[in-house]
Amino acid sequence: MSDANEPWLIAGLGNPGPGYAANRHNVGFMVADLLAERIGGTFKRAQKAQAQVLEGRIGAPGPASRRVIVVKPMSYMNVSGGPVTALRDFYKVPTANIVAVHDELDIDYGTLRIKLGGGDNGHNGLKSMTKAMGPDYHRLRFGIGRPPGRMQVADFVLKDFSPAERKELDYFVDRAADGVECLVTEGLERAQSAYNS
């Protein structure tokens, strides 16, 4: 468990701009937006990086609460590492206190997996972050499933969730935000046993 006084940086990964907002690839932004809503703040443009940031606290008031910086890199997914690393350095966040929230092709839609470290599994946002800071950060993997038929992966991730998926999307995004909060306030083991399905 990390030092209670050290901040956490939660990076929701996605692409900036309204054309991408509802894409599968932008589920990290959706979770970041919900966390911002829960904290009760609004994102502001970061002075030190190409990103939107929100500072606040999560967890029960008092010693259990944790200081968090919620980040949406505005640099496009493939180069997320630059803004996240700049903000890590600016806020003096240990790499082990960083959480990347991202879409994951290799698990079923709506399934969550929380872990520390590991490979990038072909995910360009993670690839960029790992290149910039090494692999020892947390990930909340949000399952989007594989593309149907012969559809290319790039086309699939840059498409909006289907009408059937959208029926459950709010529930899954809510659960992912709960998973982030649990990880930050109660630790990896507790978050994994509660949210890894």
Side-chain angles (χ1 to χ4, degrees):
M1 197 69 189
S2 65
D3 182 329
N5 298 315
E6 287 175 335
W8 283 74
L9 191 154
I10 299 154
L13 302 186
N15 287 309
Y20 295 103
N23 288 180
R24 292 182 178 93
H25 221 21
N26 269 43
V27 75
F29 275 15
M30 296 172 198
V31 175
D33 286 337
L34 179 57
L35 287 167
E37 207 178 289
R38 291 180 179 186
I39 289 166
T42 50
F43 283 100
K44 294 180 174 52
R45 195 183 166 86
Q47 299 299 310
K48 301 289 172 192
Q50 196 179 352
Q52 291 185 349
V53 296
L54 163 74
E55 294 180 63
R57 298 190 80 83
I58 58 177
S65 85
R66 296 285 179 269
R67 181 174 165 234
V68 293
I69 300 102
V70 183
V71 176
K72 294 195 294 184
M74 292 286 123
S75 58
Y76 289 98
M77 177 72 86
N78 298 1
V79 285
S80 302
V84 174
T85 305
L87 291 165
R88 175 199 68 173
D89 295 347
F90 177 70
Y91 288 105
K92 299 181 173 53
V93 179
T95 301
N97 279 23
I98 293 172
V99 186
V101 182
H102 64 93
D103 58 306
E104 176 64 60
L105 287 158
D106 283 339
I107 48 181
D108 293 339
Y109 174 61
T111 300
L112 301 179
R113 294 267 196 284
I114 301 169
K115 66 178 200 165
L116 173 62
D120 56 56
N121 210 17
H123 192 287
N124 288 328
L126 295 183
K127 206 173 281 184
S128 175
M129 283 182 60
T130 297
K131 188 176 175 194
M133 67 178 79
D136 300 324
Y137 54 90
H138 288 86
R139 300 101 194 275
L140 184 140
R141 303 158 71 205
F142 186 111
I144 60 169
R146 300 294 304 181
R150 294 172 179 268
M151 187 189 285
Q152 294 295 312
V153 164
D155 295 333
F156 179 69
V157 299
L158 293 175
K159 277 200 171 12
D160 291 357
F161 285 100
S162 70
E165 288 169 335
R166 279 200 294 273
K167 288 189 175 115
E168 295 182 296
L169 183 60
D170 287 350
Y171 168 76
F172 290 137
V173 168
D174 194 66
R175 198 160 178 276
D178 290 347
V180 171
E181 290 190 4
C182 182
L183 170 63
V184 169
T185 58
E186 299 184 54
L188 179 61
E189 214 171 286
R190 174 81 186 96
Q192 286 177 324
S193 68
Y195 294 95
N196 282 11
S197 38

